[in-house]
Amino acid sequence: MALNLLQSGYATLQYEIAEERASALGRLGRRLEAALTELAACPRTANPDRKVRDRLVEQAGYALWLFVVQREACGLNKIDHVIKLYGVPNEVLARMGPLPKARPPA
């Protein structure tokens, strides 16, 4: 009887962990979609908007990195599918990774 309770508790814990992984994956997928949508709305120009676009590319690269890391935590290791499904531009793929540290004001 005690062994059944332990196994039942372990199974419940495993289920809740899997549920949280899936939930996090969904949140990060929506975050990536939002970042890519915002980037798509910003034109590629050489004027002051270029700084805005650079920031959006950086944010999308960060969102992509978070999503890929979470997918790997779930055992999904192939990034090719994500790039194709979400239509990730090469400039975002090149900037995939953590955000640089904020620089202190001069």
Side-chain angles (χ1 to χ4, degrees):
M1 179 90 171
L3 186 57
N4 273 346
L5 288 175
L6 287 175
Q7 288 175 342
S8 174
Y10 181 74
T12 301
L13 178 62
Q14 290 298 101
Y15 177 80
E16 288 180 11
I17 289 171
E19 195 174 56
E20 183 53 36
R21 281 184 180 160
S23 177
L25 190 60
R27 283 191 308 273
L28 292 172
R30 288 187 297 277
R31 180 178 180 168
L32 175 59
E33 284 177 340
L36 292 173
T37 299
E38 194 173 353
L39 177 62
C42 184
R44 294 177 188 241
T45 60
N47 62 21
D49 287 343
R50 184 63 204 177
K51 288 184 180 181
V52 172
R53 183 167 176 86
D54 285 344
R55 184 184 58 78
L56 292 173
V57 169
E58 188 175 79
Q59 292 294 322
Y62 180 61
L64 176 62
W65 179 65
L66 291 174
F67 186 63
V68 168
V69 168
Q70 183 63 32
R71 280 179 48 90
E72 288 177 357
C74 293
L76 305 167
N77 298 324
K78 303 249 180 195
I79 189 176
D80 300 347
H81 177 70
V82 171
I83 293 166
K84 188 174 181 179
L85 180 67
Y86 286 88
V88 177
N90 286 335
E91 64 183 331
V92 172
L93 189 57
R95 297 283 293 272
M96 183 177 109
L99 292 175
K101 286 186 175 183
R103 296 183 186 118

